């Protein structure tokens, strides 16, 4: 198919020339292309294949919201990820996705989430007890475990034993690492198949499904109501009055593990590093927390009234969005601002670049939480930490509540001290922290 001439094209030779640095960290390469080519460019990644990179926020809003019916997720999510997590909200498309979204949405309503806050807080405090003070430690593993435990406790209350939880976490993270290898080294696809690597991880996923089926069946048999996410999912009914079939329920639970823990642990790690580098915001959060707790010890009051803490989190996700790219493919040919987009075009919207675009943000590379003093909606046309449009993350309120509790509890218990000058990143499927070494002192 003829490539449209009005989208600037970066040649295949340049892609090959920079392939090793792209493998380590593609963001500087993409940034240079944006600076040279403009906010939309096409990168040739093969003799016939190309990807259109976008940091035009209006273009993103058009695709994700205004004309979203003409766009679908890419093969990465609708095929590659499916073999490990099934067809749940994150990976489903079309009518199946609509049906599942309508069914599951009520479980993530703020009033329902209020029932989960104590479980989330207990999971957080349990992990914080592992922090060694007055010694340099890597905080990421603790925050990673924290995020997984928060999802598990919200889903299952006390139904899952620690051995099951540890195994589920291992399998979830192993599958994610395998998918990264497949995506970063597509030329080794034949070897991953022949060597049995892919099958090994599919078998691991099968083991996770069996653990989850056992937990679900034990809950059904007990007839005890825990008012957790599992109860809500079991009680949910389609328009015809039928519940989810077991395999679909397991798909949705696996999606919650995958989408609900890694992005949150990444965000919390970056936010903790930013707080270390900007200690005045630690003090502001403590002051706000003390004032809130003077009037109420209700956790819902804490998460809804912690405006300073929320600003810090929102600014952290602006600078370091865990979901740093959003991919889409258009079903039919389309146009935007004079750009001709042929049918089946692979589009990658760089959330990282949009969140730091100098035309959209004042001092784009500076940590300025006060810019969110009027709330994130002020920037809704170019701020996408949870995506946008109908496919916006269903767990955004859950994640925000969890992060507010986590940050509030952390800074009230510890003074966070940096051991670095700049924050390092590892861009994989999500934007991951690197070398998050910090020192913690008891307050």
């Amino acid at each position: 198919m003829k490539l449209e001439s009005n989208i600037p094209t970066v040649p295949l030779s340049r892609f090959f020339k920079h392939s090793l640095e792209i493998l380590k960290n593609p963001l500087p390469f993409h940034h240079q292309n944006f600076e040279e080519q403009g906010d939309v460019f096409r990168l040739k990644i093969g003799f016939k294949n190309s990807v259109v990179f976008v940091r035009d926020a209006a273009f993103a809003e058009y695709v994700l919201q205004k004309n979203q019916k003409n766009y679908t997720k890419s093969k990465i999510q609708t095929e590659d990820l499916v073999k490990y997590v099934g067809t749940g909200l994150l990976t489903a498309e079309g009518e199946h996705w609509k049906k599942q979204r309508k069914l599951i949405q009520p479980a993530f309503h703020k009033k329902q989430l209020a029932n989960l806050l104590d479980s989330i807080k207990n999971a957080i405090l349990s992990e914080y007890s592992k922090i060694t003070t007055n010694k340099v430690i890597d905080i990421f593993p603790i925050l990673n475990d924290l995020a997984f435990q928060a999802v598990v406790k919200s889903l299952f209350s006390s139904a899952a034993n620690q051995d099951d939880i540890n195994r589920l976490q291992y399998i979830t993270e192993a599958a994610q690492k395998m998918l990264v290898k497949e995506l970063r080294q597509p030329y080794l696809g034949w070897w991953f198949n022949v060597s049995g690597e892919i099958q090994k991880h599919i078998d691991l996923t099968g083991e996770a499904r069996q653990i989850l089926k056992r937990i679900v069946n034990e809950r059904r048999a007990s007839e005890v109501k825990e008012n957790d996410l599992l109860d809500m999912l079991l009680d949910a009914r389609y328009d015809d009055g039928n519940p989810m079939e077991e395999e679909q329920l397991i798909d949705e639970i696996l999606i919650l593990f995958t989408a609900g823990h890694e992005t949150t642990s990444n965000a919390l790690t970056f936010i903790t590093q930013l707080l270390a580098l900007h200690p005045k915001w630690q003090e502001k959060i403590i002051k706000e927390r003390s004032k809130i707790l003077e009037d109420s010890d209700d956790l819902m009051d804490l998460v809804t009234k912690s405006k300073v803490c929320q600003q810090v989190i929102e600014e952290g996700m602006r600078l370091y969005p865990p979901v740093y790219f959003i991919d889409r493919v258009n079903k039919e040919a389309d146009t935007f601002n004079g750009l001709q987009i042929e049918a089946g075009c692979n589009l990658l919207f760089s959330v990282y670049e949009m969140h730091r675009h100098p035309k959209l943000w004042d001092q784009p590379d500076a940590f300025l939480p006060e810019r969110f003093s009027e709330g994130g909606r002020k920037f809704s046309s170019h701020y996408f930490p949870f995506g946008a449009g109908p496919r916006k993350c269903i767990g955004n309120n859950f994640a925000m509540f969890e992060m507010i509790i986590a940050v509030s509890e952390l800074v009230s218990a510890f003074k966070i001290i940096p051991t670095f000058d700049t924050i390092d990143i590892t861009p994989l499927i999500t934007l991951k922290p690197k070398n998050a070494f910090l020192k913690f002192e008891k307050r």
Side-chain angles (χ1 to χ4, degrees):
M1 184 177 287
K2 182 178 180 293
L3 297 182
E4 299 297 337
S5 61
N6 64 349
I7 297 179
T9 299
V10 176
L12 182 61
S13 58
R14 185 166 183 180
F15 175 68
F16 283 142
K17 181 181 178 183
H18 295 274
S19 58
L20 286 177
E21 64 192 70
I22 290 170
L23 192 62
K24 293 177 184 176
N25 180 0
L27 295 184
F29 176 72
H30 298 325
H31 179 72
Q32 186 176 354
N33 287 326
F34 278 125
E35 291 296 292
E36 293 174 1
Q37 308 291 341
D39 290 346
V40 182
F41 69 87
R42 187 188 299 273
L43 175 65
K44 295 209 60 167
I45 57 172
F47 294 110
K48 292 184 179 180
N49 298 327
S50 66
V51 178
V52 172
F53 286 78
V54 182
R55 68 170 183 182
D56 181 335
F59 193 178
E61 192 176 33
Y62 171 77
V63 167
L64 299 175
Q65 292 180 269
K66 295 176 181 176
N67 195 28
Q68 53 85 21
K69 289 183 179 179
N70 187 39
Y71 291 83
T72 182
K73 290 190 171 185
S74 76
K75 170 180 173 291
I76 293 170
Q77 292 189 56
T78 58
E79 293 182 27
D80 297 335
L81 185 57
V82 164
K83 65 179 179 281
Y84 298 124
V85 299
T87 310
L89 269 183
L90 182 66
T91 56
E93 282 291 343
E95 290 303 314
H96 180 54
W97 171 80
K98 286 182 187 175
K99 185 179 177 184
Q100 289 305 111
R101 179 88 181 202
K102 184 178 179 182
L103 180 76
I104 296 170
Q105 185 79 54
F108 288 91
H109 191 277
K110 287 182 180 180
K111 288 182 180 177
Q112 295 286 7
L113 294 179
N115 298 324
L116 307 176
L117 296 183
D118 283 325
S119 294
I120 291 171
K121 180 181 175 180
N122 290 337
I124 288 167
L125 293 179
S126 176
E127 295 306 317
Y128 284 168
S129 68
K130 300 173 185 176
I131 291 176
T132 305
T133 56
N134 302 312
K135 181 182 175 184
V136 176
I137 63 168
D138 182 358
I139 193 60
F140 176 74
I142 290 173
L143 295 177
N144 189 51
D145 289 350
L146 176 158
F148 196 85
Q149 292 286 345
V151 173
V152 168
K153 298 300 183 188
S154 299
L155 262 166
F156 302 138
S157 299
S158 57
N161 64 55
Q162 196 56 51
D163 287 342
D164 284 344
I165 292 170
N166 292 343
R167 191 61 180 161
L168 288 168
Q169 183 171 352
Y170 169 77
I171 292 170
T172 301
E173 292 174 357
Q176 288 172 330
K177 288 174 184 174
M178 186 63 223
L179 183 58
V180 168
K181 286 168 72 173
E182 290 180 68
L183 297 177
R184 283 292 177 91
Q185 298 171 294
Y187 46 85
L188 292 180
W190 66 274
W191 171 250
F192 295 144
N193 274 306
V194 170
S195 66
E197 273 286 290
I198 288 177
Q199 189 57 50
K200 182 179 86 171
H201 287 83
I202 290 173
D203 291 344
L204 280 174
T205 300
E207 181 189 339
R209 298 184 79 89
Q210 290 306 312
I211 294 171
L212 294 172
K213 285 178 183 179
R214 192 187 73 242
I215 293 170
V216 168
N217 289 331
E218 286 172 358
R219 173 66 60 83
R220 282 193 175 118
S222 74
E223 297 184 354
V224 173
K225 286 292 180 186
E226 299 284 357
N227 292 319
D228 52 18
L229 283 175
L230 179 57
D231 275 349
M232 294 180 215
L233 294 174
L234 287 171
D235 292 341
R237 294 293 181 270
Y238 295 112
D239 291 341
D240 61 7
N242 288 321
M244 261 189 284
E245 292 184 359
E246 184 177 65
E247 293 299 330
Q248 185 64 55
L249 176 63
I250 301 304
D251 285 356
E252 298 299 352
I253 292 172
L254 283 172
I255 290 290
L256 289 174
F257 284 157
T258 302
H261 102 273
E262 184 178 8
T263 50
T264 301
S265 63
N266 293 352
L268 280 174
T269 303
F270 288 127
I271 290 160
T272 303
Q273 290 178 282
L274 287 164
L275 283 168
L277 292 172
H278 302 88
K280 74 174 184 180
W281 286 96
Q282 296 182 48
E283 303 307 319
K284 287 184 178 183
I285 291 171
I286 292 171
K287 185 177 178 182
E288 176 185 62
R289 173 188 165 92
S290 298
K291 192 170 186 304
I292 294 168
L293 294 180
E294 278 177 14
D295 301 324
S296 170
D297 60 357
D298 182 72
L299 272 174
M300 185 54 86
D301 280 344
L302 180 70
V303 298
T304 55
K305 293 178 180 178
S306 296
K307 299 304 180 188
V308 171
C309 189
Q310 184 169 329
Q311 289 166 36
V312 167
I313 292 167
E314 288 177 328
E315 178 71 342
M317 288 194 295
R318 182 188 71 81
L319 288 167
Y320 300 100
V323 180
Y324 66 110
F325 272 108
I326 298 174
D327 60 342
R328 289 293 185 270
V329 178
N330 53 314
K331 301 172 190 174
E332 297 179 5
D334 203 354
T335 61
F336 179 79
N337 278 0
L339 295 174
Q340 303 295 321
I341 310 140
E342 72 275 13
C345 183
N346 289 302
L347 297 163
L348 270 183
F349 295 91
S350 176
V351 178
Y352 186 88
E353 286 281 340
M354 287 186 282
H355 281 189
R356 291 170 178 254
H357 201 305
K359 292 181 180 176
L360 300 174
W361 304 91
D362 181 38
Q363 299 181 63
D365 295 322
F367 179 67
L368 301 171
E370 62 269 27
R371 74 172 89 235
F372 286 97
S373 59
E374 297 174 41
R377 288 186 181 181
K378 177 183 177 184
F379 307 108
S380 60
S381 64
H382 52 272
Y383 181 58
F384 308 116
F386 295 106
R391 298 297 300 244
K392 185 175 181 179
C393 175
I394 196 172
N396 64 316
N397 286 325
F398 179 96
M400 281 303 299
F401 289 175
E402 178 188 346
M403 287 191 286
I404 288 171
I405 295 172
V407 172
S408 178
E409 293 292 341
L410 185 66
V411 298
S412 69
F414 304 100
K415 184 178 181 182
I416 312 165
I417 301 166
T419 62
F420 50 81
D421 297 318
T422 57
I423 293 173
D424 294 327
I425 59 174
T426 304
L428 297 174
I429 293 177
T430 59
L431 190 67
K432 296 184 77 70
K434 180 183 178 183
N435 303 325
F437 292 103
L438 295 161
K439 191 174 175 183
F440 293 84
E441 292 180 357
K442 277 278 187 190
R443 286 199 184 268

